[in-house]
Amino acid sequence: MNKLLLSTALSLLITAPAFAAGTHGGGHDDDGHGDMHKEMAIGMPGKAEAVDRTIDVTMRETDDGEMIFEPAAFDIKEGETIRFAVTNKGEIEHEFVIDTMEGNAEHKESMAKMDMEHDDPNSVRLDSGMEGEVIWTFANEGTFEFACLIPGHYESGMHGPITVAQSDEAPETPAVYSTGKIKKVDAKGKKVTIIHGPLENLDMPSMTMVFKADETLIANMKEGQNIEFVADRVKGKLTVTAMK
């Protein structure tokens, strides 16, 4: 009977699931959050070879007890890949985490309940005097946040805004060429009369019209010549801006 009980107990020990202490030392990848960071609202991990610029970030404490990041805010263009070169110049451990404000609030609450350490591409945790980096592609416009989520550090001032604005570089609109035949060239007046097909970019039907053109284009125009050209309104005047 005792042998049967001992055998049963050993069997249960072998088959029972093992539960680790909740230190979160292995990072979010251990609890199923790894895929979440492939693409987040704030963007996705960036590649070193695609970095557009580097921002130096310092973490430290002040003489009056505050804990701060320098700089205190970031302005970034949508689509930029940024290398955050982070240095802990303080006397104690700090971390640098980028996320939505809601995401940081959730993680801060979780960290307050247990000793958790981030191990994610959107964060780096550093002991005093250490350096690290986060490389991130900001894929979406919006206002996000960087923070230290070690208990008590956020409340001591370690957080700031990340503003991601639309890129100034608007995609080029491809030129729309129309077809036509030159009826008359007025080199002195910088005008050309063209029997043309529809001007799709100007929403105009086929007709014969007089266009303005600069000296360079006029020099390459001859009566009776079949051309492909781009027409646009320049200072209110229909103008040939390109031809081939």
Side-chain angles (χ1 to χ4, degrees), residues 212-226:
K212 297 284 288 182
D214 64 25
E215 293 177 356
T216 303
L217 290 173
I218 288 284
N220 291 301
M221 294 178 177
K222 296 180 181 179
E223 293 182 8
Q225 179 184 1
N226 292 315

Side-chain angles (χ1 to χ4, degrees), residues 180-192:
K181 184 175 182 178
I182 296 175
K183 181 178 180 181
K184 182 180 178 181
V185 177
D186 178 1
K188 188 176 181 180
K190 297 180 183 178
K191 298 177 183 178
V192 58

Side-chain angles (χ1 to χ4, degrees), residues 37-93:
H37 290 291
K38 290 179 182 177
E39 181 156 6
M40 303 162 60
I42 194 172
M44 66 200 76
K47 296 180 180 179
E49 61 270 22
V51 168
D52 295 302
R53 61 189 173 106
T54 297
I55 297 176
D56 294 320
V57 182
T58 298
M59 305 185 292
R60 66 180 180 89
E61 308 90 42
T62 65
D63 293 337
D64 57 4
E66 284 189 302
M67 299 182 185
I68 63 172
F69 286 104
E70 294 172 325
F74 304 131
D75 290 314
I76 293 167
K77 295 296 184 183
E78 182 183 12
E80 270 195 299
T81 296
I82 303 294
R83 174 188 282 110
F84 294 100
V86 187
T87 304
N88 184 357
K89 293 186 178 180
E91 299 297 322
I92 59 175
E93 185 180 40

Side-chain angles (χ1 to χ4, degrees), residues 25 40 42-43 55 99 113 122 127 132 180 187 228 244:
M40 303 162 60
I42 194 172
I55 297 176
D99 204 339
K113 295 177 181 177
N122 64 319
D127 288 326
E228 292 181 51
K244 59 182 180 180

Side-chain angles (χ1 to χ4, degrees), residues 159-180:
H159 58 90
I162 302 173
T163 303
V164 182
Q166 186 176 23
S167 173
D168 293 332
E169 298 179 6
E172 286 189 18
T173 303
V176 179
Y177 281 83
S178 304
T179 59

